[in-house]
Amino acid sequence: MPLRTETYDFDEEEQRLEDKLDELDDVLDDVDDADIRQRFENERPQLRAHLEGVRWARDEAYDAEYAPMWDADVDAVTFGGLTGGEFGALEDDVGEHGGGSGAVRVYQVAKGTVEAPYVDDSMGDDERIGTVSQLPVAYLKWARDRIDALTGVGGNGEMSFRALYEEIVENSQ
């Protein structure tokens, strides 16, 4: 049973990610320090990948011949945060099979997906993992990020880029 679940509407997620990219650009307009600038610039590829994953899920997944496991045209998916036991089992499984961070991402999305066209309740863990491993990496990166947010305690804990920048500047003085 997940810690908590949340349904992510693809249109709302696209807007959230576009807003984060806009906020990042706004903060970068104020950054003079090269090291701080680089730290923020490093966020851009991840946000772009997440945006690409959300757009793929909304616009292409159902019609993609290479993704027959996505067998319904949907506007949203539901993810759940993993409990300590679920995450521990995930780490044990990945460790047994010699997997790295990419394998962890696949396992985490397989275990953290509650409702989506590519999974159903009749699937065992191995079938879920095999199915999820066939999805595009951009989608998996976005899904893992959302599952990570649900796995943490105390809400999603996302700090705005502006707040992070102000904290960095304050701590560097």
Side-chain angles (χ1 to χ4, degrees), residues 9-53:
D9 177 273
F10 297 135
D11 289 336
E12 290 173 10
E13 274 297 288
E14 179 183 44
Q15 188 61 57
R16 182 186 70 81
L17 291 164
E18 287 175 345
D19 290 348
K20 284 189 75 81
L21 281 164
D22 289 344
E23 179 193 9
L24 179 59
D25 289 339
D26 183 52
V27 168
L28 284 169
D29 286 343
D30 295 340
V31 176
D32 294 325
D33 183 278
D35 291 334
I36 295 173
R37 176 175 271 299
Q38 186 60 48
R39 186 172 175 181
F40 282 98
E41 282 289 346
N42 289 338
E43 295 292 326
R44 188 178 305 283
Q46 177 178 318
L47 288 171
R48 291 245 181 254
H50 291 185
L51 187 57
E52 180 183 325

Side-chain angles (χ1 to χ4, degrees), residues 6-145:
E6 187 163 335
T7 299
Y8 294 93
D9 177 273
F10 297 135
D11 289 336
E12 290 173 10
E13 274 297 288
E14 179 183 44
Q15 188 61 57
R16 182 186 70 81
L17 291 164
E18 287 175 345
D19 290 348
K20 284 189 75 81
L21 281 164
D22 289 344
E23 179 193 9
L24 179 59
D25 289 339
D26 183 52
V27 168
L28 284 169
D29 286 343
D30 295 340
V31 176
D32 294 325
D33 183 278
D35 291 334
I36 295 173
R37 176 175 271 299
Q38 186 60 48
R39 186 172 175 181
F40 282 98
E41 282 289 346
N42 289 338
E43 295 292 326
R44 188 178 305 283
Q46 177 178 318
L47 288 171
R48 291 245 181 254
H50 291 185
L51 187 57
E52 180 183 325
V54 167
R55 288 176 175 160
W56 175 84
R58 183 193 61 206
D59 300 335
E60 300 175 39
Y62 182 57
D63 294 325
E65 290 181 23
Y66 58 86
M69 72 292 293
W70 196 291
D71 61 2
D73 190 10
V74 296
D75 297 328
V77 293
T78 302
F79 298 128
L82 305 181
T83 64
E86 289 169 327
F87 200 84
L90 177 152
E91 290 176 321
D92 290 347
D93 287 347
V94 172
E96 269 182 34
H97 297 98
S101 63
V104 170
R105 179 175 42 244
V106 169
Y107 276 62
Q108 193 168 356
V109 173
K111 290 188 179 286
T113 300
V114 174
E115 188 175 323
Y118 52 88
V119 297
D120 66 54
D121 293 338
S122 70
M123 294 175 137
D125 285 345
D126 289 344
E127 187 177 3
R128 284 175 75 100
I129 291 164
T131 299
V132 167
S133 72
Q134 297 174 54
L135 296 170
V137 70
Y139 175 80
L140 294 176
K141 286 180 176 183
W142 168 73
R144 180 184 184 187
D145 184 69

